[in-house]
Amino acid sequence: MTNKDKIFVKLNKENLLYFSDINRLPYYEKENIYSFFIPEKLYTILGIKNFYELKKKYYFRLFCEPGTDFVKIEIKINKEQKDWIFLLELADTIYYQLELSLIVIGDPNAPFFDVYHDRFGHRNYFATAKRNIEEESKAILAGLYPHQSRKGLNLFDNLLDKLEIFCKNTEKHLIETDPLGYASAIFYEKKGFGYINGKKLMLKIDKEFYPKGLLYRKLDNSNIFRKQEYWDNVWGRSWAIHDGVLKEALGVEFNHIKMYKPIGKKLKVNTFLTQGVNNENRL
């Protein structure tokens, strides 16, 4: 019997269906259970064989206190690293489903841009509060998206498989998430997620980025985040929204977006370039 099989036998035998249940266990048991969420491909990338080697060679931290209904996993090169190789936050929802609260995966060998701290060194909640324009200007030139401090490792599909396996074994039928930004929402669409809240706003954003639209007019080439050529690509639109065009043009912030994915099913939702792209669109 594999360790994965042992984990789910224990969860089912002891009726440990929620993080609030699991978090009552002794720490060593929780650590073994929650290590399941670390993609095996990450071990290969890091040049190690398993979770035990990871703890010896890298900085690992687990937040799963008794009385709480969430878990947070941190993996860094060392404690001093300002960002993460792997950061995952999961929680129980009020309807007893699984919430993917946060996921950050970064290539430790890629260039780092300190977008998670403002210019005074204060944390800015993943670039959602005060921005570090100098670091973001470097990040956009490197081809990164808003909220990215370095390029990723293409491990989300592996993580999503694990989340679905966990849900199937703990009587859950939905994964819910709140996308951090516009690019995240489009990314989740491609992974089979749909909208609980926010689809109407996403379609409005798409419409207004077309030539003559309210958001298109804000792409005035006034800075590196607002180039006119950004209107028809997710990367460019996401930087313009991050720079404030949504608030200026439509009077709204990019928030209150909630998405979901049924377990074992991919929804076919698309809110990007819904009118297509042709010469007339391009003016």
Side-chain angles (χ1 to χ4, degrees):
M1 185 181 292
T2 66
N3 186 55
K4 181 186 79 171
D5 294 332
K6 291 178 181 178
I7 287 172
F8 290 118
V9 166
K10 178 179 179 60
L11 294 183
N12 282 279
K13 184 177 180 181
E14 299 183 22
N15 200 35
L16 302 171
L17 303 181
Y18 310 109
F19 297 121
S20 56
D21 299 327
I22 298 170
N23 287 352
R24 292 197 294 264
L25 297 173
Y27 180 81
Y28 74 93
E29 292 191 66
K30 292 186 286 189
E31 186 181 72
N32 183 53
I33 291 169
Y34 290 138
S35 68
F36 167 75
F37 292 114
I38 302 172
E40 283 79 7
K41 285 187 177 181
L42 181 59
Y43 298 140
T44 302
I45 291 169
L46 297 178
I48 54 179
K49 294 180 181 179
N50 51 45
F51 176 61
Y52 304 101
E53 284 191 22
L54 184 146
K55 290 196 295 179
K56 288 181 180 180
K57 296 183 178 181
Y58 293 87
Y59 176 79
F60 171 82
R61 194 174 181 189
L62 181 66
F63 299 82
C64 53
E65 293 301 309
T68 64
D69 60 359
F70 72 94
V71 58
K72 180 165 80 170
I73 300 169
E74 289 187 351
I75 300 172
K76 298 183 177 186
I77 298 171
N78 51 50
K79 189 176 182 179
E80 286 69 41
Q81 184 181 348
K82 288 186 174 182
D83 62 341
W84 300 265
I85 298 172
F86 184 82
L87 172 63
L88 176 67
E89 291 187 23
L90 303 171
D92 298 326
T93 74
I94 59 174
Y95 299 109
Y96 305 108
Q97 302 305 307
L98 184 146
E99 178 180 274
L100 173 56
S101 305
L102 183 65
I103 175 65
V104 176
I105 304 174
D107 183 348
N109 298 312
F112 167 69
F113 305 97
D114 196 5
V115 299
Y116 297 153
H117 297 82
D118 65 22
R119 62 192 183 93
F120 301 108
H122 303 132
R123 291 182 181 179
N124 61 9
Y125 304 99
F126 298 94
T128 61
K130 291 184 178 180
R131 296 169 59 193
N132 189 327
I133 300 297
E134 182 178 353
E135 289 297 300
E136 287 186 356
S137 297
K138 297 175 185 176
I140 192 173
L141 289 173
L144 300 185
Y145 285 81
H147 317 293
Q148 267 192 305
S149 61
R150 61 180 89 215
K151 74 181 184 71
L153 289 169
N154 297 316
L155 293 177
F156 184 81
D157 287 348
N158 304 108
L159 172 64
L160 185 57
D161 288 343
K162 285 180 169 291
L163 297 181
E164 295 220 8
I165 290 170
F166 180 81
C167 288
K168 288 176 182 177
N169 282 275
T170 54
E171 301 179 7
K172 297 176 178 63
H173 60 272
L174 290 179
I175 297 171
E176 298 181 11
T177 193
D178 298 349
L180 192 58
Y182 178 77
S184 298
I186 300 299
F187 176 83
Y188 284 127
E189 286 182 11
K190 293 178 179 178
K191 299 303 178 181
F193 285 70
Y195 292 91
I196 297 174
N197 297 312
K199 185 177 181 181
K200 184 177 179 180
L201 175 60
M202 290 294 290
L203 289 170
K204 178 69 172 176
I205 289 171
D206 183 55
K207 175 185 176 184
E208 299 300 340
F209 263 122
Y210 275 89
K212 300 182 181 179
L214 295 175
L215 291 171
Y216 180 85
R217 295 173 195 171
K218 291 295 179 180
L219 302 180
D220 54 9
N221 299 309
S222 58
N223 63 42
I224 196 172
F225 307 111
R226 300 188 180 209
K227 293 187 177 181
Q228 192 173 85
E229 65 203 58
Y230 290 170
W231 75 270
D232 65 348
N233 62 87
V234 174
W235 174 76
R237 287 183 176 190
S238 64
W239 275 111
I241 290 172
H242 187 64
D243 198 51
V245 299
L246 194 59
K247 178 69 172 178
E248 295 170 18
L250 303 182
V252 297
E253 303 279 2
F254 190 87
N255 52 28
H256 305 303
I257 310 290
K258 183 169 284 293
M259 304 182 73
Y260 76 102
K261 183 185 183 301
I263 302 307
K265 182 179 180 181
K266 290 186 70 173
L267 301 178
K268 296 181 179 179
V269 176
N270 175 57
T271 63
F272 176 64
L273 292 181
T274 56
Q275 300 177 36
V277 178
N278 53 44
N279 291 334
E280 182 178 347
N281 290 143
R282 294 186 180 281
L283 294 183

